[in-house]
Amino acid sequence: MTPNATGVDAVIDVVTAVLLIAGALMSLGAAIGLLRFPDLMSRMHAATKPQVLGLFLVLAAIGLQMREWWVWPILAVAWIFQLLTVPVSAHMVGRAGYRTKHLHPELLSTDELEAVVLRAAGQRAAEKAQEAESAMPHTGKARNGGNARNGGNGGNARNGGPSA
Amino acid sequence: MKDIVLIVTAVILSLAAAGAIYRIAVGPSLLDRVLASDVLLAILGAALAIDMAVNRHLNNLVLLVALTLIGFVGSVTVARFVADRRGQVNDS
Protein backbone atom coordinates (compact mmCIF):
# COMPACT_ATOMS: atom_id res chain seq x y z
CA MET A 1 0.00 0.00 0.00
CA THR A 2 1.17 3.51 -0.78
CA PRO A 3 2.23 5.60 2.26
CA ASN A 4 0.49 9.00 2.43
CA ALA A 5 -1.67 8.18 -0.60
CA THR A 6 -3.79 10.85 -2.28
CA GLY A 7 -6.42 10.84 -5.01
CA VAL A 8 -6.92 7.56 -6.88
CA ASP A 9 -4.29 5.81 -4.76
CA ALA A 10 -6.19 6.58 -1.58
CA VAL A 11 -9.46 5.30 -3.03
CA ILE A 12 -7.81 2.07 -4.21
CA ASP A 13 -6.19 1.62 -0.82
CA VAL A 14 -9.53 2.00 0.97
CA VAL A 15 -11.18 -0.51 -1.39
CA THR A 16 -8.27 -2.91 -0.86
CA ALA A 17 -8.54 -2.59 2.91
CA VAL A 18 -12.28 -3.33 2.79
CA LEU A 19 -11.70 -6.37 0.56
CA LEU A 20 -8.92 -7.72 2.79
CA ILE A 21 -10.90 -7.33 6.01
CA ALA A 22 -13.99 -8.89 4.40
CA GLY A 23 -11.87 -11.82 3.22
CA ALA A 24 -10.46 -12.28 6.72
CA LEU A 25 -14.00 -12.13 8.17
CA MET A 26 -14.93 -15.06 5.92
CA SER A 27 -12.29 -17.13 7.70
CA LEU A 28 -13.64 -16.03 11.06
CA GLY A 29 -17.16 -16.98 9.96
CA ALA A 30 -15.95 -20.43 8.95
CA ALA A 31 -14.27 -20.90 12.34
CA ILE A 32 -17.43 -19.82 14.20
CA GLY A 33 -19.49 -22.16 12.03
CA LEU A 34 -17.10 -25.02 12.76
CA LEU A 35 -17.44 -24.42 16.48
CA ARG A 36 -21.19 -23.91 16.70
CA PHE A 37 -22.85 -26.12 14.07
CA PRO A 38 -24.06 -29.49 15.36
CA ASP A 39 -22.96 -32.02 12.74
CA LEU A 40 -20.59 -32.63 9.84
CA MET A 41 -22.91 -31.58 7.02
CA SER A 42 -23.68 -28.14 8.42
CA ARG A 43 -20.03 -27.63 9.31
CA MET A 44 -19.17 -28.35 5.69
CA HIS A 45 -21.54 -25.55 4.72
CA ALA A 46 -19.60 -23.08 6.85
CA ALA A 47 -16.18 -24.38 5.81
CA THR A 48 -16.52 -23.40 2.15
CA LYS A 49 -16.80 -19.66 2.86
CA PRO A 50 -13.07 -18.81 3.11
CA GLN A 51 -12.18 -21.34 0.43
CA VAL A 52 -14.21 -19.66 -2.32
CA LEU A 53 -15.49 -16.19 -1.43
CA GLY A 54 -12.68 -15.33 0.99
CA LEU A 55 -10.01 -16.32 -1.52
CA PHE A 56 -11.81 -14.33 -4.22
CA LEU A 57 -11.87 -11.18 -2.06
CA VAL A 58 -8.18 -11.29 -1.12
CA LEU A 59 -7.14 -12.13 -4.71
CA ALA A 60 -9.14 -9.13 -5.93
CA ALA A 61 -7.27 -7.01 -3.38
CA ILE A 62 -3.95 -8.30 -4.77
CA GLY A 63 -5.07 -7.42 -8.30
CA LEU A 64 -6.04 -3.91 -7.21
CA GLN A 65 -2.73 -3.33 -5.47
CA MET A 66 -0.45 -4.64 -8.20
CA ARG A 67 -2.03 -2.44 -10.92
CA GLU A 68 -0.69 -4.52 -13.77
CA TRP A 69 -3.09 -6.11 -16.23
CA TRP A 70 -1.14 -9.37 -16.52
CA VAL A 71 -1.72 -10.15 -12.85
CA TRP A 72 -5.46 -10.71 -13.28
CA PRO A 73 -5.26 -13.88 -15.45
CA ILE A 74 -2.82 -15.46 -12.98
CA LEU A 75 -5.11 -14.66 -10.06
CA ALA A 76 -8.08 -15.99 -12.04
CA VAL A 77 -6.22 -19.24 -12.66
CA ALA A 78 -5.42 -19.60 -8.95
CA TRP A 79 -9.07 -18.98 -8.06
CA ILE A 80 -10.47 -21.33 -10.72
CA PHE A 81 -8.09 -24.03 -9.53
CA GLN A 82 -9.50 -23.67 -6.04
CA LEU A 83 -13.02 -23.66 -7.51
CA LEU A 84 -12.35 -26.98 -9.25
CA THR A 85 -10.79 -28.80 -6.32
CA VAL A 86 -13.05 -27.67 -3.46
CA PRO A 87 -16.30 -29.33 -4.69
CA VAL A 88 -14.53 -32.63 -5.34
CA SER A 89 -13.04 -32.85 -1.85
CA ALA A 90 -16.34 -31.66 -0.32
CA HIS A 91 -18.16 -34.40 -2.24
CA MET A 92 -15.76 -37.04 -0.97
CA VAL A 93 -16.00 -35.82 2.62
CA GLY A 94 -19.79 -35.63 2.44
CA ARG A 95 -20.08 -39.11 0.96
CA ALA A 96 -17.80 -40.59 3.61
CA GLY A 97 -19.79 -38.73 6.26
CA TYR A 98 -23.09 -40.15 4.98
CA ARG A 99 -21.72 -43.67 4.78
CA THR A 100 -20.27 -43.62 8.28
CA LYS A 101 -23.50 -42.03 9.61
CA HIS A 102 -21.89 -38.79 10.80
CA LEU A 103 -25.17 -36.94 10.60
CA HIS A 104 -28.28 -36.30 12.63
CA PRO A 105 -31.17 -37.54 10.46
CA GLU A 106 -33.69 -35.54 12.47
CA LEU A 107 -31.97 -32.32 11.38
CA LEU A 108 -32.34 -33.05 7.67
CA SER A 109 -35.38 -31.63 5.92
CA THR A 110 -35.08 -34.13 3.04
CA ASP A 111 -32.86 -37.17 2.59
CA GLU A 112 -32.96 -38.03 -1.09
CA LEU A 113 -30.16 -40.56 -0.80
CA GLU A 114 -32.05 -42.74 1.68
CA ALA A 115 -34.50 -44.13 -0.90
CA VAL A 116 -31.63 -44.93 -3.31
CA VAL A 117 -29.66 -46.72 -0.59
CA LEU A 118 -32.68 -48.76 0.49
CA ARG A 119 -33.51 -49.76 -3.08
CA ALA A 120 -29.90 -50.84 -3.69
CA ALA A 121 -29.92 -52.83 -0.44
CA GLY A 122 -33.17 -54.57 -1.46
CA GLN A 123 -31.79 -55.47 -4.89
CA ARG A 124 -28.60 -56.81 -3.35
CA ALA A 125 -30.56 -58.99 -0.89
CA ALA A 126 -32.70 -60.38 -3.73
CA GLU A 127 -29.61 -61.14 -5.85
CA LYS A 128 -27.89 -62.87 -2.94
CA ALA A 129 -30.96 -65.03 -2.33
CA GLN A 130 -31.11 -65.99 -6.00
CA GLU A 131 -27.42 -66.90 -6.03
CA ALA A 132 -27.85 -69.08 -2.95
CA GLU A 133 -30.77 -70.83 -4.62
CA SER A 134 -28.95 -71.52 -7.89
CA ALA A 135 -25.69 -72.57 -6.20
CA MET A 136 -27.24 -75.49 -4.30
CA PRO A 137 -30.21 -76.73 -6.30
CA HIS A 138 -30.84 -80.14 -4.67
CA THR A 139 -29.29 -80.13 -1.16
CA GLY A 140 -31.58 -78.60 1.41
CA LYS A 141 -33.90 -77.16 -1.17
CA ALA A 142 -36.62 -76.25 1.26
CA ARG A 143 -34.28 -74.17 3.44
CA ASN A 144 -32.76 -72.36 0.49
CA GLY A 145 -36.18 -71.60 -0.89
CA GLY A 146 -37.18 -70.20 2.45
CA ASN A 147 -34.09 -68.00 2.50
CA ALA A 148 -34.75 -66.74 -0.98
CA ARG A 149 -38.33 -65.91 -0.15
CA ASN A 150 -37.28 -64.12 3.01
CA GLY A 151 -34.65 -62.09 1.16
CA GLY A 152 -37.05 -61.27 -1.62
CA ASN A 153 -39.73 -60.23 0.81
CA GLY A 154 -37.32 -58.09 2.76
CA GLY A 155 -36.16 -56.42 -0.42
CA ASN A 156 -39.68 -55.90 -1.67
CA ALA A 157 -40.94 -54.55 1.62
CA ARG A 158 -38.29 -51.82 1.53
CA ASN A 159 -38.36 -51.52 -2.21
CA GLY A 160 -42.03 -51.45 -2.98
CA GLY A 161 -40.97 -52.67 -6.42
CA PRO A 162 -42.65 -55.09 -8.80
CA SER A 163 -40.13 -57.97 -8.55
CA ALA A 164 -42.30 -60.18 -6.31
CA MET B 1 -3.57 2.51 6.69
CA LYS B 2 -1.19 -0.35 6.01
CA ASP B 3 -0.56 -1.00 9.69
CA ILE B 4 -4.25 -0.82 10.57
CA VAL B 5 -5.19 -3.35 7.88
CA LEU B 6 -2.38 -5.66 8.91
CA ILE B 7 -3.31 -5.56 12.60
CA VAL B 8 -7.04 -6.03 12.02
CA THR B 9 -6.62 -8.94 9.60
CA ALA B 10 -3.98 -10.53 11.85
CA VAL B 11 -6.35 -10.45 14.83
CA ILE B 12 -9.26 -11.83 12.79
CA LEU B 13 -7.20 -14.61 11.22
CA SER B 14 -5.66 -15.54 14.58
CA LEU B 15 -9.12 -15.95 16.11
CA ALA B 16 -10.23 -18.00 13.11
CA ALA B 17 -7.15 -20.22 13.29
CA ALA B 18 -7.71 -20.72 17.02
CA GLY B 19 -11.27 -21.88 16.32
CA ALA B 20 -10.15 -24.27 13.58
CA ILE B 21 -7.38 -25.70 15.79
CA TYR B 22 -9.87 -26.18 18.62
CA ARG B 23 -12.14 -28.13 16.26
CA ILE B 24 -9.16 -30.23 15.13
CA ALA B 25 -8.33 -30.99 18.76
CA VAL B 26 -11.80 -31.89 20.06
CA GLY B 27 -13.63 -32.76 16.81
CA PRO B 28 -15.57 -35.91 17.63
CA SER B 29 -14.89 -37.68 14.33
CA LEU B 30 -12.06 -37.95 11.84
CA LEU B 31 -14.05 -36.15 9.14
CA ASP B 32 -14.58 -33.14 11.40
CA ARG B 33 -10.82 -32.93 11.84
CA VAL B 34 -10.26 -33.18 8.08
CA LEU B 35 -12.76 -30.39 7.50
CA ALA B 36 -11.17 -28.19 10.16
CA SER B 37 -7.69 -28.73 8.74
CA ASP B 38 -9.05 -27.70 5.34
CA VAL B 39 -10.32 -24.49 6.92
CA LEU B 40 -6.92 -24.00 8.58
CA LEU B 41 -5.25 -24.31 5.16
CA ALA B 42 -7.68 -21.73 3.76
CA ILE B 43 -6.79 -19.37 6.62
CA LEU B 44 -3.07 -19.82 5.88
CA GLY B 45 -3.77 -19.09 2.21
CA ALA B 46 -5.66 -15.94 3.19
CA ALA B 47 -2.70 -14.83 5.30
CA LEU B 48 -0.30 -15.37 2.39
CA ALA B 49 -2.58 -13.45 0.02
CA ILE B 50 -2.97 -10.56 2.48
CA ASP B 51 0.81 -10.35 2.77
CA MET B 52 1.06 -10.20 -1.03
CA ALA B 53 -1.61 -7.51 -1.30
CA VAL B 54 -0.23 -5.28 1.45
CA ASN B 55 3.43 -5.51 0.40
CA ARG B 56 2.79 -5.59 -3.36
CA HIS B 57 4.59 -8.71 -4.48
CA LEU B 58 3.60 -12.06 -6.01
CA ASN B 59 6.17 -14.33 -4.38
CA ASN B 60 3.61 -16.41 -2.51
CA LEU B 61 1.28 -17.14 -5.42
CA VAL B 62 2.89 -20.49 -6.27
CA LEU B 63 2.80 -21.42 -2.59
CA LEU B 64 -0.91 -20.54 -2.52
CA VAL B 65 -1.69 -22.88 -5.42
CA ALA B 66 0.45 -25.63 -3.90
CA LEU B 67 -1.44 -25.21 -0.61
CA THR B 68 -4.72 -25.69 -2.48
CA LEU B 69 -3.39 -28.87 -4.04
CA ILE B 70 -2.18 -30.23 -0.70
CA GLY B 71 -5.55 -29.59 0.92
CA PHE B 72 -7.36 -31.28 -1.97
CA VAL B 73 -5.19 -34.40 -2.01
CA GLY B 74 -5.17 -34.68 1.76
CA SER B 75 -8.91 -34.41 2.33
CA VAL B 76 -9.79 -36.68 -0.61
CA THR B 77 -7.35 -39.35 0.57
CA VAL B 78 -8.54 -39.31 4.16
CA ALA B 79 -12.22 -39.28 3.17
CA ARG B 80 -11.66 -42.19 0.80
CA PHE B 81 -10.27 -44.42 3.51
CA VAL B 82 -12.52 -43.54 6.43
CA ALA B 83 -13.51 -46.79 8.11
CA ASP B 84 -17.11 -47.56 9.00
CA ARG B 85 -16.94 -48.03 12.77
CA ARG B 86 -20.19 -49.56 13.89
CA GLY B 87 -19.55 -48.91 17.57
CA GLN B 88 -19.43 -45.14 17.19
CA VAL B 89 -22.46 -44.49 15.06
CA ASN B 90 -23.85 -40.98 15.16
CA ASP B 91 -21.25 -39.52 17.50
CA SER B 92 -20.74 -36.30 15.57
Side-chain angles (χ1 to χ4, degrees):
Chain A
M1 290 186 169
T2 322
N4 303 322
T6 52
V8 181
D9 280 350
V11 173
I12 289 181
D13 275 3
V14 169
V15 174
T16 304
V18 170
L19 286 177
L20 287 178
I21 292 174
L25 282 175
M26 290 295 145
S27 298
L28 187 63
I32 293 174
L34 276 183
L35 291 183
R36 292 192 52 87
F37 276 140
D39 65 346
L40 179 70
M41 302 292 171
S42 38
R43 282 176 197 150
M44 283 174 63
H45 153 71
T48 48
K49 265 66 201 170
Q51 291 173 348
V52 177
L53 184 55
L55 189 70
F56 174 78
L57 291 174
V58 291
L59 287 182
I62 294 175
L64 280 181
Q65 281 294 309
M66 294 302 286
R67 290 180 217 162
E68 309 253 8
W69 64 267
W70 53 265
V71 176
W72 288 96
I74 300 176
L75 300 177
V77 165
W79 190 60
I80 288 172
F81 191 64
Q82 179 89 345
L83 217 57
L84 287 178
T85 54
V86 160
V88 179
S89 60
H91 171 79
M92 293 297 289
V93 171
R95 195 175 70 149
Y98 191 91
R99 286 190 176 177
T100 52
K101 313 242 181 337
H102 285 112
L103 72 166
H104 296 294
E106 70 275 8
L107 292 179
L108 298 176
S109 51
T110 58
D111 189 357
E112 295 176 338
L113 199 53
E114 191 177 22
V116 180
V117 169
L118 285 181
R119 203 181 310 139
Q123 280 177 358
R124 197 171 302 152
E127 280 174 11
K128 196 175 283 182
Q130 257 181 359
E131 276 178 18
E133 200 174 7
S134 60
M136 287 185 286
H138 39 263
T139 58
K141 193 170 185 178
R143 210 182 58 192
N144 277 335
N147 279 343
R149 206 171 300 130
N150 279 340
N153 278 342
N156 285 333
R158 281 175 291 185
N159 192 358
S163 63
Chain B
M1 190 67 155
K2 186 174 171 178
D3 291 338
I4 295 173
V5 170
L6 271 182
I7 291 172
V8 170
T9 53
V11 168
I12 293 173
L13 288 182
S14 304
L15 287 175
I21 290 172
Y22 177 79
R23 180 50 73 192
I24 291 177
V26 305
S29 72
L30 179 63
L31 289 169
D32 285 316
R33 294 192 172 95
V34 170
L35 199 65
S37 65
D38 247 8
V39 171
L40 194 58
L41 270 183
I43 292 169
L44 284 178
L48 288 175
I50 287 171
D51 175 50
M52 278 192 283
V54 169
N55 293 321
R56 281 194 187 158
H57 61 83
L58 289 176
N59 300 342
N60 298 334
L61 202 57
V62 180
L63 188 56
L64 196 63
V65 175
L67 216 60
T68 306
L69 191 66
I70 291 171
F72 170 67
V73 171
S75 59
V76 166
T77 309
V78 175
R80 182 73 186 77
F81 293 105
V82 167
D84 189 4
R85 294 186 196 159
R86 289 295 175 189
Q88 303 176 357
V89 165
N90 213 356
D91 59 353
S92 61

